[in-house]
Amino acid sequence: MTASVPILDPTEVEHVNSAVASWAASGEVVRGVNIARVVVQDDALADLAQTAAEMKRGGAIHDQQDRTPMSRAGADIKALATDILTGAGAVNTLVLPEDAGQPFAATWESAQALSHRLAGCGVVVVVGSGSITDVVKYARHLDAEARGQPVPMISFPTAASVTAYTSALAVLKVDGTKRTLASQPPDAVICDLQTLRDAAPAMTVAGFGDVLARSVAYGDWYLAWQLGMDDGFSEIPGKLLAHAEQAMIDRAEAVAARKADGVRAVMDALLLAGMAMSVVNQTAPVSGWEHVISHFLDMTADHDGRTPALHGGQVGVGTLVSAHAYERVWATLDLDRLAAPVSARDIDADLQRIEGMFNTFDPSGKMAVEVVRDYAKKARRWQDALAVRRAFAERKRAGEYDAYLRANVRPARAVHKALARATAPRTFADLDQPIADERAVSAIRCGHLIRSRFTLGDLLDQSGWLDTANARGLLAAITQEEAT
């Protein structure tokens, strides 16, 4: 794929949009990247103040931060950013959570509460990483729905850790369940490489893992489309990200060493990944089974009494799990089972089982209601797609999908090697917040249940393969691979 597409610079948004338009097939619906300015420089603090001054529409600058300590050349970058912003006008700083004794919660409720505080702001500036960025993006979206015009927004990332900075989507918890919500991207993203280099190394390798998810997620999306479980599929996100993803992998050792070119490679890939999601208005190009495994771990953290691990770290390990599953199972799928009718009674039994499971994690019942509501859409769509599933089985027997998957799903050994070279976690036990084996097994076995998107996990489950024993086998595979 990389040989046939140009190298794209995420700071050249007009060029990115021209490429997207040129790649679109006749009748294909894609969206332009609606970001006015992307800056990636060694010292971008002056750009932050200048951009805030230019975008401000009267009113004060709303300086939004979280309480995670971050430094730049030994100084508190959040305090430094506030000082820099005073050169553009009056600044009101809000640090979340306001109660310093409480953990920050990236929830729909926190975004709704924040939306009421954006009225009258001249510009909102987010100084932080993924969770606070998603909360502010969605708060701004809600405020725009109420008032008719979005307040200008600037993202100042403090770590090269997630794809959220340029994405038009926000990932928040709704009743304890991870959901992807329609939003808008920031108007400007100002990336200061000194700040990104000085972030905790675990955050940069988390960004590496978040991008590497494309290695398997693109296969999930393609198969969902072929099975009638997704309304569309596009090669455009893959083209947008192709060179940047490979450049990041090529510089894995520089990522591990926190060298400038390694951090820049991760940040460029993250920015383009966010844009790749935005042009098709869904996260599927870089988010498949590996992401719902991660989301399941986040959703069960409170029940387990543990702190969630970094998102991209979990995703990287999930990517390795998924890559092993493609290699182990694709050739031997039970196609007769995939092509079998599904009764309403079967669906009801599944939904009851899922409800009971998630009620153990959240006795209030809210999580179970949200999970069942979303999974039911997928179960009924699978039931209705019987004719498409039967055609899929015949084409699979004929080997029609094999070449595409070979070209677009990275081998498990290559995923492991890339993660190892970047010193990213390769097992759940190696995460910044280690995950016990039994919880990791349940995430592999049940992560696909939490949302309506169809992933490899669903395909394995519908074929009868994804039982607890095989989930343990996948966990053993990544553990053994690390040992060798």
Side-chain angles (χ1 to χ4, degrees):
M1 183 179 287
T2 56
S4 60
V5 297
I7 298 173
L8 295 173
D9 183 337
T11 67
E12 298 176 357
V13 179
E14 186 174 341
H15 185 201
V16 169
N17 281 329
S18 295
V20 168
S22 71
W23 292 330
S26 177
E28 183 176 13
V29 177
V30 292
R31 303 178 179 212
V33 176
N34 190 24
I35 302 175
R37 180 179 301 174
V38 177
V39 173
V40 184
Q41 292 184 1
D42 287 335
D43 183 353
L45 293 178
D47 292 273
L48 176 63
Q50 179 183 347
T51 303
E54 292 176 359
M55 290 190 169
K56 187 162 65 78
R57 298 182 188 150
I61 298 168
H62 179 96
D63 174 25
Q64 184 66 64
Q65 305 178 7
D66 59 23
R67 294 189 178 276
T68 304
M70 304 293 289
S71 65
R72 179 188 192 273
D76 180 345
I77 181 55
K78 295 178 180 178
L80 182 58
T82 301
D83 289 343
I84 289 289
L85 288 170
T86 59
V91 178
N92 294 325
T93 300
L94 176 62
V95 181
L96 293 179
E98 294 184 85
D99 181 349
Q102 295 296 316
F104 176 73
T107 64
W108 184 91
E109 292 82 5
S110 60
Q112 183 184 46
L114 178 60
S115 70
H116 300 308
R117 307 180 74 158
L118 298 182
C121 293
V123 61
V124 58
V125 179
V126 188
V127 182
S129 55
S131 293
I132 189 67
T133 300
D134 274 342
V135 167
V136 176
K137 283 194 302 187
Y138 197 67
R140 175 193 184 222
H141 170 73
L142 293 174
D143 177 61
E145 285 189 332
R147 297 194 300 121
Q149 184 178 30
V151 60
M153 177 182 171
I154 301 169
S155 169
F156 184 85
T158 52
S161 54
V162 290
T163 60
Y165 305 121
T166 53
S167 169
L169 303 159
V171 178
L172 302 174
K173 278 188 177 181
V174 177
D175 288 334
T177 305
K178 285 291 188 80
R179 289 289 176 254
T180 301
L181 306 174
S183 183
Q184 295 117 9
D187 295 292
V189 183
I190 310 299
C191 304
D192 177 72
L193 287 173
Q194 180 65 58
T195 298
L196 302 180
R197 285 197 301 271
D198 287 349
M203 299 191 79
T204 306
V205 297
F208 187 97
D210 208 14
V211 172
L212 199 63
R214 192 231 53 86
S215 298
V216 290
Y218 228 79
D220 289 21
W221 188 25
Y222 173 75
L223 292 176
W225 176 56
Q226 291 291 330
L227 280 157
M229 297 298 290
D230 198 292
D231 292 332
F233 176 78
S234 175
E235 299 284 1
I236 291 175
K239 291 180 178 179
L240 267 182
L241 191 52
H243 282 291
E245 178 192 7
Q246 189 58 52
M248 180 193 78
I249 294 171
D250 291 344
R251 291 168 177 78
E253 286 84 4
V255 173
R258 301 166 71 184
K259 292 183 178 179
D261 61 331
V263 175
R264 174 67 190 261
V266 173
M267 196 67 214
D268 281 353
L270 289 167
L271 294 171
L272 284 167
M275 294 175 184
M277 293 186 287
S278 296
V279 299
V280 292
N281 198 36
Q282 61 169 316
T283 59
V286 292
S287 175
W289 187 30
E290 76 299 325
H291 266 73
V292 290
I293 289 171
S294 175
H295 293 335
F296 184 94
L297 292 172
D298 291 345
M299 289 164 55
T300 56
D302 286 346
H303 173 269
D304 295 347
R306 56 182 168 81
T307 301
L310 288 170
H311 166 75
Q314 292 181 160
V315 166
V317 178
T319 299
L320 189 53
V321 169
S322 185
H324 274 285
Y326 268 108
E327 292 179 357
R328 286 181 170 217
V329 191
W330 172 250
T332 58
L333 283 174
D334 185 340
L335 298 178
D336 291 336
R337 183 161 175 161
L338 289 177
V342 177
S343 71
R345 181 177 295 180
D346 292 334
I347 293 175
D348 288 343
D350 283 345
L351 296 180
Q352 289 176 17
R353 175 177 56 85
I354 293 167
E355 181 180 17
M357 177 194 310
F358 284 91
N359 276 333
T360 65
F361 301 135
D362 174 22
S364 76
K366 291 182 178 179
M367 182 187 291
V369 168
E370 175 63 24
V371 169
V372 167
R373 181 190 64 79
D374 222 41
Y375 185 81
K377 300 175 188 176
K378 178 164 57 181
R380 293 183 181 116
R381 184 164 183 168
W382 180 260
Q383 181 185 37
D384 293 342
L386 179 60
V388 181
R389 290 190 277 117
R390 286 175 170 169
F392 174 91
E394 292 308 310
R395 295 182 67 187
K396 168 71 173 72
R397 287 189 179 97
E400 292 185 27
Y401 304 116
D402 296 348
Y404 190 89
L405 292 178
R406 279 196 301 271
N408 288 276
V409 174
R410 205 177 293 274
R413 188 60 192 163
V415 172
H416 181 272
K417 183 178 180 181
L419 291 169
R421 289 170 53 222
T423 64
R426 279 87 70 193
T427 71
F428 292 102
D430 291 335
L431 294 167
D432 61 293
Q433 300 289 335
I435 305 294
D437 283 356
E438 283 309 301
R439 177 57 69 224
V441 168
S442 66
I444 296 169
R445 173 68 187 88
C446 304
H448 65 284
L449 301 175
I450 69 170
R451 68 181 179 188
S452 60
R453 178 182 300 155
F454 191 91
T455 69
L456 177 65
D458 294 286
L459 182 64
L460 301 182
D461 195 20
Q462 294 291 353
S463 71
W465 187 87
L466 190 56
D467 57 19
T468 299
N470 283 324
R472 286 200 177 102
L474 288 174
L475 181 65
I478 65 171
T479 303
Q480 291 166 5
E481 184 173 39
E482 183 60 17
T484 58

